[in-house]
Amino acid sequence: KPLFERAIAIGEGSLGGQHPHLAFALNNFARWWNAQGNFETALKLAIRGLEIFRTAFGEQHELIAMSHSVLGWIHSDAGDLALASERHKVAMDICDRLHEINRNKQRVRAGFLVNKARCLHTVGENGGEVANEALVLVERVHCPVHEIETARRLVAQVASPIEET
């Protein structure tokens, strides 16, 4: 307990009361209090950590999801399963949205790689390595079947340079 209190005091003094590093310390201290059975203190600390993360990152961030999950654990340990379930649902909803955003970014990157592979092939170079990277991306992010098939055809098509006639 003294170490957590000291870490928070140092964080507040040197970083200010709204720094994300302070929010991490608050969440860790909240988990400690939760393990001690002091759910009220644990909730106060975890909520303060969540508010700091919200100020720093907005609502759609993995640290917001993590904070809701911490609050869910505390509510669960305190016996309030309805609130625990609600907090875990919020955390999962955020994770699902972040996953979809990341998935879309990966699909865009795969599209750029496809274009690069075609360009390499067009100028007579081997675009197979770049096309393979695109294929790995579209398979990893579970793109629609037609996108995966297009990437597979591209790999076969650009794996070797254009033969001059």
Side-chain angles (χ1 to χ4, degrees):
K1 177 182 170 184
L3 290 176
F4 282 121
E5 290 172 340
R6 185 166 177 235
I8 290 171
I10 290 170
E12 288 174 330
S14 63
L15 301 172
Q18 292 297 310
H19 196 280
H21 288 272
L22 176 60
F24 278 113
L26 290 166
N27 273 325
N28 288 333
F29 201 20
R31 287 186 213 168
W32 184 84
W33 276 115
N34 185 55
Q36 305 308 310
N38 188 333
F39 307 119
E40 185 178 323
T41 301
L43 284 169
K44 287 177 185 176
L45 291 167
I47 289 169
R48 184 169 169 216
L50 172 62
E51 292 305 320
I52 292 170
F53 282 141
R54 276 186 176 141
T55 300
F57 302 114
E59 280 296 320
Q60 300 304 310
H61 194 276
E62 63 232 15
L63 294 174
I64 301 299
M66 186 254 334
S67 292
H68 280 288
S69 186
V70 168
L71 285 161
W73 295 333
I74 297 168
H75 286 301
S76 178
D77 289 348
D80 192 339
L81 299 182
L83 274 176
S85 177
E86 193 176 301
R87 289 292 186 170
H88 287 302
K89 182 182 180 334
V90 170
M92 288 306 302
D93 288 347
I94 292 169
C95 287
D96 288 346
R97 282 191 295 278
L98 291 174
H99 174 74
E100 190 59 33
I101 289 167
N102 187 48
R103 180 174 176 259
N104 288 336
K105 286 179 183 176
Q106 294 299 314
R107 286 178 74 187
V108 168
R109 178 172 164 65
F112 291 150
L113 289 169
V114 164
N115 292 339
K116 181 178 179 181
R118 285 186 176 135
C119 288
L120 287 170
H121 182 66
T122 301
V123 298
E125 295 182 29
N126 185 336
E129 189 174 313
V130 175
N132 273 323
E133 187 179 345
L135 176 59
V136 166
L137 271 177
V138 296
E139 288 176 336
R140 185 173 50 205
V141 298
H142 307 292
C143 287
V145 172
H146 71 277
E147 290 181 31
I148 294 171
E149 291 305 318
T150 299
R152 286 184 180 144
R153 282 193 303 278
L154 177 69
V155 168
Q157 184 181 39
V158 303
S160 58
I162 297 174
E163 293 186 25
E164 295 186 28
T165 55

